[in-house]
Amino acid sequence: MALTINSNLSALQGQNQLSQTQKTKEKLLAQLSAGKTTDNAANNPANAAISEALLAQINGSNQAINNANDGVSLAQTADGALNQIQDNTQQIQELAIQAGNGALSASNRQALQQQVDQLTQANSAIVQSTEFNGTPLLNSNNPTTFQVGPNGSADNQVNVPGINLAAAPASGGLNSYNANLNATGTIDISTQAGALAAQQSTAADLNTLASTRSTLGAVSNRFEASINDLQTASLNASAANSRISDTDFASASAQLAANQILGQAGLATQAQANISARSALSLLG
């Protein structure tokens, strides 16, 4: 190789190698500080795109889990109210059976009627007041739809059917409901004949309540199944994203140490390359 001054090829090659080593060190330090290899999309565009898609799926699944939990809470709120109405209706039925006893006087039945009135008024108040976040639960035919998946398709939705216990009994409402919360005689057991009719009315109400609670139970089970599925999907997507984007600290630290050594060696080589050019001066001595 010719001995030159203006073009020190060894120094130029050393500078290029030192620059590459420095860039690699900066990349590794960025990965170690961020904990991610995809913090800069330029490092690995394909992995960055895959990671973003996985993150969207993870975030969507996690939010869908929250939605499904809200659905469970709504169903539990409605079921709790129905359970109280059911208890009240069973008491009404017991009082109606008691009122059917021929040994009772009119005043006895009137006392029983007052108890029934209190219970029907309580049932009516529960029907009118039960709601979840402002949504009426027991006096509306409108279903409530919950998104329980990361995608906006119909198979990612669960519908809680509308419950309208304020409707006419023939349409799924209760005989023990009255829009007037102070109404009396909604269920009439003041006579022996009325007590017999009341037993039939309360039996119909109990069947309606049992069917409604069964429907809510099935919906709750569907929400729970969706939550379990979403949790599994979120976990698997998180594991996949970790393999793609998370920094392997052991490997990155080893690479960083190697590049630090290379950088020091490059600096020493650069110094030697600069010194070698000075040997040209000896020829002029």
Side-chain angles (χ1 to χ4, degrees), residues 135-230:
T135 300
L137 300 182
L138 302 182
N139 62 344
S140 173
N141 288 318
N142 298 324
T144 306
T145 302
F146 289 84
Q147 184 73 30
V148 293
N151 304 313
S153 56
D155 58 353
N156 289 150
Q157 297 176 344
V158 173
N159 289 322
V160 179
I163 301 170
N164 190 6
L165 299 181
S171 302
L174 296 178
N175 291 284
S176 62
Y177 172 80
N178 194 310
N180 180 3
L181 300 183
N182 296 315
T184 59
T186 303
I187 297 291
D188 186 7
I189 63 168
S190 60
T191 65
Q192 194 169 15
L196 179 60
Q199 293 170 36
Q200 297 173 349
S201 297
T202 53
D205 284 356
L206 288 171
N207 287 335
T208 297
L209 292 167
S211 176
T212 304
R213 293 190 69 188
S214 177
T215 299
L216 283 176
V219 171
S220 292
N221 288 338
R222 184 174 177 188
F223 278 126
E224 293 290 352
S226 297
I227 290 170
N228 292 336
D229 182 60
L230 288 165

Side-chain angles (χ1 to χ4, degrees), residues 62-111:
N62 290 340
Q63 183 56 56
I65 291 171
N66 292 335
N67 292 354
N69 280 320
D70 285 342
V72 172
S73 297
L74 182 146
Q76 289 176 341
T77 300
D79 186 64
L82 290 170
N83 181 59
Q84 185 58 58
I85 294 174
Q86 195 172 48
D87 288 345
N88 292 345
T89 304
Q90 288 173 347
Q91 292 183 52
I92 293 172
Q93 186 183 49
E94 292 173 5
L95 292 168
I97 294 173
Q98 185 178 356
N101 186 347
L104 298 181
S105 65
S107 61
N108 294 147
R109 290 195 180 89
Q110 187 57 41

